[in-house]
Every structure is written in C-alpha cells, then in structure tokens.
Amino acid sequence: GINLTQVEAVVSTQSTGLTTVPGVIRYKGAKIQLLDLPGIIEGAKDGKGRGRQVIAVARTCKLIFIVLDVLKPLGDKAIIEKELEGFGIRLNKSPPNITFRKKEKGGINLTQVVPQSELDLDSVKQILGEYRISNADVVLKEDSSCDDLIDVIEGNRVYIPCIYVLNKIDQISIEELDIIYKIPHCVPLSAHHKWNFDDLLEKMWEYLNLTRIYTKPKGQLPDFNAPVVLKEDNRTIETFCNSLHKGILKDLKYALVWGSSVKYQPQRVGKEHILGDEDIVQVIKKH
C-alpha cells in the first residue's frame, strides 16, 4: 500500500528554507524517491539565490510535479515554468530533432529534411552568428523554431516530463472539475481529503516510463519482490548486469530472457538486447 503522507509531502509545498524532504514511494515494485522542494516563486523574488539551488536540484529529476492551487492555477503555472525554462529545463518536450555540428571551414551548411515555417538559411546564419559560429552543418529533421535551434546550440538543456497537480478540488464544482480533466498533463486532487491520489500515482508511473526486470537464479523461481528498475533509454542486458553487480558483465556468456521483448520463451540473448517491462532474466556465466 502507498503511504499517502509521502504524496502529501509533494502537495503541501508551504515549506521554507532549502530543506528538501525526501520521501520514498514503493509502487508496482519500484522504489521512487520524492523530493519536496520549497516553492521557487518565493526564492526568485529574493535575489534568485535560493531559487537557483532549487532549480539545480530540479534539473536532476526524472519527473517534476508542479503543485498549483486549483482556484488560481494559471498565474503560478506561468511563473514557475518561466523560472524552470530560464535554467534550461524543458517540460513535456522531446529534444529538437536537429543535428548540429561545428567544423573548421566551409561556412554554414543547412539541410532541411522537412519544410520549415520559421527557420531559413538567413535566420540560421544570424542565430549562429550570435554565438560567433561561422562554420557548421545544421540538419533540420522537423519543423523547428528559433528557440529549438538555440537549445541545440547551447546543448545544456534537460528534457523532463511534468505533471501539474491541481490541489483543493474539494472547493470547486463538478462542472469545473470536468473542464480541468481536459487539461493535458494535469491531475486534480485534494490533499486535505486525500482524493484522487491513486490517479496521481498511476500518471506518475506512466510518465516515468520505467522498466522492471525480474532476476531468475538458476534452478529457482524468479524473484518478483525486488525488480531491477531500468530507465526507458537504457534497458539493455548490459545495463541490467551492471545494476546487479559491476563484475557480472565480463563473466557473461549469454542471458536467457522470458517476456515481451523476445519471440521464444526463453530466448538466448547477448548484452545488446533491449528488455521490456516485467521481463525475466537469467544470467548464464562463462565457466
């Protein structure tokens, strides 16, 4: 069961000082750490000192909850997003599909794989000129904006999923609640009445996009209690082995996998194989 005070820690953001309170949620076999960060709106006002620390922590997270008061959500949302954007955090966005490579000579070379509504050779040259770049290859693989190109040139952006938690829904009407449910990336809830926490947890799980892998020791049943949890962009047998123990990989002969990522049950795979959620893996060592 979920200890709801840990979700409440995220919802009651009335804390001051830079004390980040970690709570751990165990959900679907994974341990998920929650950090309750002090509000950045207050931090931004007094010289941005504290706001900067908060955002430095936020940059390292895999998912951000922005807690808003359902009675006045949009003003706060805009302020918080602007602060986060200013520190290179992009919410609910994928990295722009742009290839950018500096070179020694040859000027600016622009390739447009798809038609562009905003960028052309002149605007690309102008933006690169502001960074004193006069020789580069730029390939635009999607319809991109000037901001997209700047993000790619700067290169220090982080792309983090975000869920807007709209608190205090006990104070609005059913009709208003219906409208709120249509807002993307939103979960309405009431921290006070503990309403709708399960929706928040389910959406959290969906946005984290984690992969649980169960280990199967030779001659034993799989261990379903303690999955190895892998991130979406790194789900290979190699990563799985390194999560268990650094030395396993060099002794790996092959792995046996049961589950959605293989055609045969079990199937022999190598270290490059990409695993699926709830796959079972048995490591076979060289003798």
Side-chain angles (χ1 to χ4, degrees), residues 93 98 110 112 114-127 140 142-151:
K93 270 173 123 169
I98 297 174
L110 175 66
Q112 303 179 19
V114 295
Q116 298 295 315
S117 52
E118 195 174 315
L119 290 169
D120 57 15
L121 187 57
D122 287 342
S123 56
V124 168
K125 277 184 172 166
Q126 188 185 346
I127 291 166
L140 305 174
E142 62 186 7
D143 190 3
S144 303
S145 67
C146 298
D147 287 340
D148 290 337
L149 180 59
I150 290 166
D151 281 352

Side-chain angles (χ1 to χ4, degrees), residues 1 48-49 72 82 100 169 195 210 278 287:
K48 286 213 171 61
K72 49 173 177 56
K82 191 162 180 253
F100 164 70
I169 56 167
W195 292 346
L210 300 172
E278 299 204 270
H287 292 303

Side-chain angles (χ1 to χ4, degrees), residues 5-284:
T5 53
Q6 288 151 359
V7 186
E8 273 177 319
V10 175
V11 174
S12 55
T13 48
Q14 275 17 79
S15 59
T16 48
L18 196 91
T19 45
T20 60
V21 187
V24 174
I25 297 180
R26 290 179 175 277
Y27 192 61
K28 298 197 180 188
K31 275 194 305 200
I32 297 161
Q33 189 181 45
L34 271 178
L35 294 175
D36 178 14
L37 297 172
I40 32 183
I41 297 177
E42 302 89 72
K45 280 214 264 314
D46 48 53
K48 286 213 171 61
R50 222 176 58 215
R52 183 167 292 150
Q53 287 171 291
V54 173
I55 293 172
V57 176
R59 275 182 65 97
T60 65
C61 295
K62 293 281 166 281
L63 171 66
I64 291 174
F65 288 156
I66 293 181
V67 182
L68 300 166
D69 186 326
V70 77
L71 303 172
K72 49 173 177 56
L74 295 175
D76 289 352
K77 178 175 183 279
I79 295 169
I80 295 170
E81 284 175 344
K82 191 162 180 253
E83 286 283 317
L84 294 174
E85 292 251 316
F87 281 82
I89 295 172
R90 301 288 173 263
L91 301 173
N92 293 327
K93 270 173 123 169
S94 305
N97 199 351
I98 297 174
T99 308
F100 164 70
R101 201 175 71 241
K102 282 195 255 190
K103 50 188 186 177
E104 292 297 307
K105 51 183 193 287
I108 304 294
N109 194 354
L110 175 66
T111 310
Q112 303 179 19
V113 179
V114 295
Q116 298 295 315
S117 52
E118 195 174 315
L119 290 169
D120 57 15
L121 187 57
D122 287 342
S123 56
V124 168
K125 277 184 172 166
Q126 188 185 346
I127 291 166
L128 290 171
E130 287 175 26
Y131 289 91
R132 300 203 166 82
I133 297 167
S134 44
N135 299 295
D137 292 331
V138 178
V139 183
L140 305 174
K141 300 174 192 168
E142 62 186 7
D143 190 3
S144 303
S145 67
C146 298
D147 287 340
D148 290 337
L149 180 59
I150 290 166
D151 281 352
V152 170
I153 297 165
E154 296 242 349
N156 59 353
R157 307 298 191 238
V158 288
Y159 297 85
I160 305 177
C162 171
I163 294 171
Y164 300 97
V165 179
L166 288 173
N167 191 14
K168 304 187 185 169
I169 56 167
D170 48 310
Q171 298 178 23
I172 60 169
S173 69
I174 296 290
E175 292 75 35
E176 288 171 303
L177 193 54
D178 283 343
I179 294 166
I180 284 166
Y181 257 111
K182 296 192 175 78
I183 304 172
H185 314 297
C186 256
V187 177
L189 55 73
S190 163
H192 180 65
H193 292 285
K194 302 190 171 29
W195 292 346
N196 217 19
F197 281 8
D198 43 359
D199 253 21
L200 179 62
L201 292 166
E202 195 44 57
K203 205 165 191 88
M204 170 192 78
W205 183 257
E206 179 196 329
Y207 279 44
L208 283 170
N209 206 352
L210 300 172
T211 299
R212 294 158 294 175
I213 308 299
Y214 304 114
T215 50
K216 182 189 179 315
K218 195 175 172 193
Q220 294 175 31
L221 289 167
D223 178 3
F224 290 114
N225 294 322
V228 172
V229 177
L230 303 177
K231 297 184 194 79
E232 151 204 29
D233 52 357
N234 213 344
R235 299 176 296 159
T236 59
I237 289 285
E238 181 171 358
T239 315
F240 168 76
C241 289
N242 287 335
S243 304
L244 290 175
H245 188 281
K246 284 282 178 277
I248 288 183
L249 200 62
K250 65 177 195 296
D251 297 331
L252 175 75
K253 189 174 179 187
Y254 59 89
L256 286 175
V257 176
W258 292 258
S260 61
S261 71
V262 288
K263 206 157 135 191
Y264 306 105
Q265 311 289 335
Q267 189 169 323
R268 285 170 69 149
V269 299
K271 64 178 186 181
E272 274 83 42
H273 178 75
I274 294 173
L275 294 158
D277 189 28
E278 299 204 270
D279 278 2
I280 296 165
V281 176
Q282 183 180 341
V283 174
I284 310 293

